[in-house]
Structures are given as structure tokens and as C-alpha cells.
Amino acid sequence: GFFQSHAVEVDIKDASNATCLYANWMMRFLIIYESNTSDYKTTTLNLSSSVTHNGSVCGNDTQAALVAVQFGEGHSWSINFTKNNETYQGDLITFTYNTNDTAAFPDAKRKGPVSVVVKDTTHPVQLNNVYVCHNTDFIEAENVTQIFWNVTVQPFVQNGTVSKKESRCPADTPTVLPTIANVTTVSTTTLSPAPTTPPKPVENPDTGNYSLKSGNKTCLLATVGLQLNVTQDKPLLININPKTTIADGACGNTTATLRLNDGNSTLISF
């Protein structure tokens, strides 16, 4: 499914009212939780339009920079950044969701805040460069999938101005297509026009075999070919490639959840 989520913008000022940390990004969360009937359900947390950033700090040579946001009914997310003489890097990401939020967790067995801490896997970025990643990124840990896209962030901003030098994530790097200069041209003496080739139909998706285990026993099996038909500005067909798709999820007493991540930008949850 496709869910609406609001962009987050954090602009932290130092004592002289100059920007020292800037971040703008989109994110949402998929959470598997245990219900009162001891089965497992999946819920989605999206950011609302009202997000606070209490606790965010600039950071310096001895203190880590911190982006901290709070949203909804007691949910929060944060990431801290460290630096050396040449680069900065994300360190720990902490996500806390509150199962007392009855809109998101109407029948949660465990009540109260639950925290998940993961290590940020982003590579170091040159100081005075802004990190940009438009493609979707996923972090999965402890029954939580964190989804990020349209990320722009720069801690340790110099002179109060966000840099115009960008460090792009690998997923944003465009594929180099062949140019006129390096394409071999085959000459022909045929004067008659070439026949018109009809548009190639979209091929059927390959069939994938997906399974989940509970302990040593297989608890879910799925053999399926998947194609998404998305209509926005124009129709878009996406075939899910079983060779690059990772399956995970959870089995409960009365329900099971299967999540398929194609490693690119598509996450499907059944």
C-alpha cells in the first residue's frame, strides 16, 4: 500500500541564531505487534503535520549533534552524528513507539513505550557537504521497518549556511547510458523504410517461492508472481524480482505477516 506522510524539517540555531544543523526528510514505520489474542498484527505509523524537535542539539568537536523529533501520541525518533577532522557520520538511530496510541495499536497486548535502537549504516560524508538521498531506504530491526526517502541533512553547518556541495547516496547515482560517440553504427543500403515495431508488452512477473519459519518449523509458504500497477500521473507497472527480493515477517496463532522487500524501493506487506 501507499500511505500519506508529511515531510519533517528541522533547522537548529546556535547561540548567535545561525543555522548549525539542518535536516529535511520523509519517513514512515511498519510495526508488527502482539495483540490481546496473542496473534501478530502490522500497523503503519506516519508523521502528522504537527512534529516537534525538542532536544535537538548542534554538536561540536566534543559533543555529538542530535536530531530528535516527536509526533503523534507519544512517538519519537532521533539520530546522533559524530565527526572527525574531515567527515561526519550518523551513529545511533533511536525509534520509540507508544502502544497506548489506540488509533495505531487498538488491541496491543503490551502497553506503553517501546524503543528500538539501530546503528546507522550511511557512509561518512565530507564536512561542509550536505547529504542527499531521494531514493527509498529501509532499516529493519525488532519487528520494526523504518522507511526513509527524500532525505537532506547536514550537521555541523559552517558559517550558518547549508552547503551547496552534495554527497549523494549510491542509490541516487544515475546509470551512465551509451552516447552517440561509443555506439557502433551499422551501415545499410536498404532504401525501403524499416517496419514499425509494435510496443513490447510488459512481461509477466517471475514466480517466487517465499517462506517464513517459527523456530525450526516452516509456518508460511507462498508461491506467487507479483506485479504492481500504480496509476499516478501515468500508469506504471512494476514486476517484483524474486531473485533480489527478501522475505521476512512473523507467524502468530491466528494471523501471519509476510513482508517482501525487493531491495530497491518497493516494500509489500501481506
Side-chain angles (χ1 to χ4, degrees):
F2 293 85
F3 304 93
Q4 293 293 327
S5 191
H6 292 267
V8 186
E9 184 175 36
V10 176
D11 188 348
I12 305 302
K13 309 287 187 180
D14 60 17
S16 62
N17 202 34
T19 296
C20 61
L21 186 156
Y22 179 81
N24 190 310
W25 75 101
M26 303 277 286
M27 66 180 174
R28 73 168 61 100
F29 307 91
L30 297 180
I31 304 167
I32 297 175
Y33 69 97
E34 187 177 6
S35 72
N36 288 325
T37 55
S38 296
D39 59 351
Y40 288 86
K41 297 184 177 181
T42 301
T43 190
T44 302
L45 277 184
N46 296 298
L47 270 67
S48 63
S49 57
S50 56
V51 177
T52 58
H53 51 81
N54 299 324
S56 298
V57 295
C58 295
N60 51 42
D61 291 340
T62 59
Q63 181 185 16
L66 178 68
V67 176
V69 296
Q70 304 83 36
F71 61 97
E73 299 297 324
H75 314 298
S76 62
W77 182 91
S78 67
I79 180 172
N80 66 330
F81 295 90
T82 57
K83 70 169 183 172
N84 55 32
N85 292 331
E86 298 181 351
T87 63
Y88 66 84
Q89 185 174 17
D91 185 17
L92 295 178
I93 296 174
T94 303
F95 170 53
T96 299
Y97 59 94
N98 186 4
T99 57
N100 287 324
D101 180 356
T102 55
F105 307 94
D107 54 354
K109 184 175 183 178
R110 176 182 177 181
K111 296 295 185 181
V114 181
S115 293
V116 177
V117 181
V118 294
K119 182 75 174 178
D120 183 29
T121 57
T122 306
H123 295 299
V125 178
Q126 287 294 121
L127 283 174
N128 204 32
N129 278 25
V130 58
Y131 174 77
V132 177
C133 191
H134 294 307
N135 273 269
T136 307
D137 189 21
F138 303 90
I139 298 178
E140 299 186 38
E142 300 182 36
N143 289 337
V144 174
T145 301
Q146 304 183 44
I147 309 171
F148 308 91
W149 70 103
N150 288 349
V151 175
T152 300
V153 60
Q154 185 184 356
F156 312 108
V157 175
Q158 300 179 17
N159 301 320
T161 303
V162 176
S163 177
K164 297 187 181 299
K165 298 178 183 178
E166 292 185 354
S167 290
R168 287 292 188 117
C169 62
D172 278 6
T173 304
T175 302
V176 178
L177 299 176
T179 62
I180 298 290
N182 58 27
V183 174
T184 302
T185 302
V186 179
S187 62
T188 177
T189 58
T190 304
L191 298 178
S192 58
T196 302
T197 303
K200 183 180 180 181
V202 176
E203 297 179 355
N204 289 331
D206 292 334
T207 300
N209 296 302
Y210 309 103
S211 64
L212 298 179
K213 287 186 177 293
S214 178
N216 294 325
K217 295 183 178 181
T218 299
C219 60
L220 185 151
L221 288 171
T223 300
V224 60
L226 289 171
Q227 183 182 87
L228 304 182
N229 186 334
V230 183
T231 301
Q232 292 179 322
D233 296 333
K234 59 182 180 180
L236 173 65
L237 294 179
I238 304 172
N239 283 346
I240 302 302
N241 184 358
K243 295 180 180 179
T244 60
T245 297
I246 298 173
D248 67 356
C251 295
N253 293 332
T254 58
T255 63
T257 298
L258 173 67
R259 291 181 298 177
L260 301 179
N261 183 348
D262 75 346
N264 183 17
S265 60
T266 306
L267 180 72
I268 308 173
S269 178
F270 296 95

